[in-house]
Structures are given as C-alpha cells and as structure tokens.
Amino acid sequence: MVNTEQKQLIKTARITGVWYLIMAISGILGFIVFHFQIFVSGNPEQTLTNLVELESTARIRLLLEFAIVISQALTAVWFFKLFKGDYEWEAWTLGIWGIVNALAIMISAISIASAMGIANSDISAIQDKVLLIQVFQNIISNAWGIGGLFFGLWLFPMGYMVIKSKRMPVWLGRVIILGGIGYLVSTVIRYAGIDLSFNSFLTLPATIGEFWMIGYLLIFGIRPIKDW
C-alpha cells in the first residue's frame, strides 16, 4: 500500500518529468528544427536575410528558446524538491547547476532577440548589420557550446542520487553519469581545437539517459526503497 508521503513523491516526480519533457521537446524544436532555418553557420549575410524575410520563423525560434530556459529552470527546481529530503547537498548541487544551464541558454535567447532587433533596425550600412549579426551568432553558438560544461555537470548529482537511493534503476544513474562525462569531454575537445569525427557521439549517452529519465519519471515516478 502506497502511503501519503510516497504518493506525494510520485506526484513530484511526474511533475518533474513533465517539465523535463517540455525542455526536451522545446530543445529539439528550437535548436535542431528551427535554429538552422534562420542562423546559417559561417554565413552572417544569409542569416541577416533570413532574419528579415523569415521574421515569423525567427520569432518562433526565440519563443522556443524562452521555453527551454523556463522549463530547464523548473526541471532543476523540481528535481531539488524530489531529492532534497534524503540528499540535500546533492539536490542543491543539481538545482544550482541546472539553473546555470538555464542562464547559459538565456544568453543565447538575449543574443537571438538582439540579432532580430539589428536585422530589422534602421541601420543603413548593411556591412554594419552583417558584422553585428556575426557577433550575436557567435555568442549564440558559444552559449550552447560552452554551456555543455554545465549540461554535463548537472547530470553527475542526478545520476549519483539515482544510484545511491535505489529508487530508480541503477543503470539509469550510470548512463546519466556517463552522459555527463561525455558532455564535459566533448566540450573540452571542441574548444581545444581538436577535430575528432566521433566527438558528436560523446553526448549520446546523455541523450539516452535523459529520455530514459523522462520516461521513468512520467510512467513510474519514484519507487519506495523497499522495491529495489
């Protein structure tokens, strides 16, 4: 029989899963689907044209960035609420590092909004616009790129608490920690200027672990200790 405390934890876990799912969906739509329709790597001139001619698409991209920031912050807060009872220090670490993720993406959102403003401004010199667009485009790219450090770091306390509590599958925690290592290594390799063909695959465990976590939170919530 499930007691009141366990019912509340399951409810908290499922709300956490909802925010995590929203973050994942908005991230896929924003950064993978819509982003490259507007921001063309290495081509600020085309990006400027896209920002002007595809303004509605650019605004969708910006709003999706808002959704990522908000859902990331709320996911971090609800993970803290879920685990703070037994693992307060680790829960604080996860929550803080998750908020840093949201701040990194907020820098990207500010840059997208700024690029849109420049593209549709009264500045007459096209080259000035192109230069500013290039600057903001680089900030967007690096906010996501360097943000990979904390995209990885927040997975460590998450995976640790899963393993220690045994209230979720232990292998889920291990895959999540492996994903965190992958993010850190991938980011360091990228900014060390090392060109490795498999670098993009280093974050694959994180993707698997995070979607596994989302599914577990939504379907099962969190199990009592005695069940594991």
Side-chain angles (χ1 to χ4, degrees):
M1 184 153 180
V2 180
N3 59 36
T4 303
E5 182 181 354
Q6 179 61 19
K7 285 182 179 178
Q8 186 59 45
L9 277 176
I10 291 173
K11 180 181 177 182
T12 300
R14 286 181 172 148
I15 293 173
T16 307
V18 169
W19 289 123
Y20 213 158
L21 179 62
I22 293 172
M23 183 179 77
I25 293 172
S26 57
I28 291 170
L29 290 175
F31 195 71
I32 297 175
V33 176
F34 283 92
H35 187 78
F36 298 105
Q37 294 180 34
I38 302 296
F39 295 92
V40 182
S41 180
N43 194 340
E45 293 86 357
Q46 184 60 52
T47 298
L48 174 59
T49 300
N50 292 343
L51 286 167
V52 174
E53 296 182 355
L54 303 173
E55 184 179 354
S56 59
T57 302
R59 292 197 181 280
I60 291 172
R61 170 69 187 101
L62 178 59
L63 291 175
L64 285 167
E65 204 82 332
F66 290 174
I68 299 169
V69 171
I70 294 168
S71 56
Q72 168 69 81
L74 289 170
T75 300
V77 169
W78 281 89
F79 261 123
F80 169 77
K81 184 178 179 181
L82 181 63
F83 285 112
K84 66 173 180 161
D86 297 319
Y87 299 94
E88 185 174 3
W89 185 85
E90 293 86 348
W92 270 109
T93 304
L94 185 152
I96 292 169
W97 287 350
I99 294 296
V100 173
N101 289 347
L103 292 174
I105 301 167
M106 187 181 294
I107 293 171
S108 173
I110 292 168
S111 300
I112 293 172
S114 299
M116 291 173 61
I118 292 297
N120 294 284
S121 70
D122 294 329
I123 298 175
S124 57
I126 296 299
Q127 282 307 114
D128 289 345
K129 283 189 174 184
V130 169
L131 180 60
L132 289 169
I133 294 297
Q134 186 173 22
V135 169
F136 288 123
Q137 199 166 349
N138 285 333
I139 293 173
I140 294 164
S141 175
N142 287 301
W144 278 87
I146 298 174
L149 293 173
F150 279 91
F151 299 161
L153 280 175
W154 92 308
L155 296 177
F156 286 103
M158 186 190 301
Y160 175 82
M161 288 185 288
V162 168
I163 293 169
K164 291 293 289 184
S165 69
K166 298 182 180 178
R167 305 186 79 170
M168 295 177 182
V170 170
W171 269 103
L172 170 57
R174 291 171 179 167
V175 171
I176 286 173
I177 289 176
L178 183 62
I181 295 170
Y183 256 115
L184 292 178
V185 173
S186 175
T187 303
V188 170
I189 287 175
R190 174 182 172 182
Y191 284 94
I194 302 170
D195 186 15
L196 295 177
S197 58
F198 62 82
N199 193 29
S200 60
F201 294 102
L202 291 174
T203 59
L204 185 59
T207 302
I208 294 170
E210 289 188 288
F211 276 101
W212 185 358
M213 172 62 82
I214 290 168
Y216 198 88
L217 289 168
L218 291 174
I219 296 169
F220 301 107
I222 188 169
R223 296 308 188 200
I225 296 175
K226 64 181 180 181
D227 285 358
W228 292 98

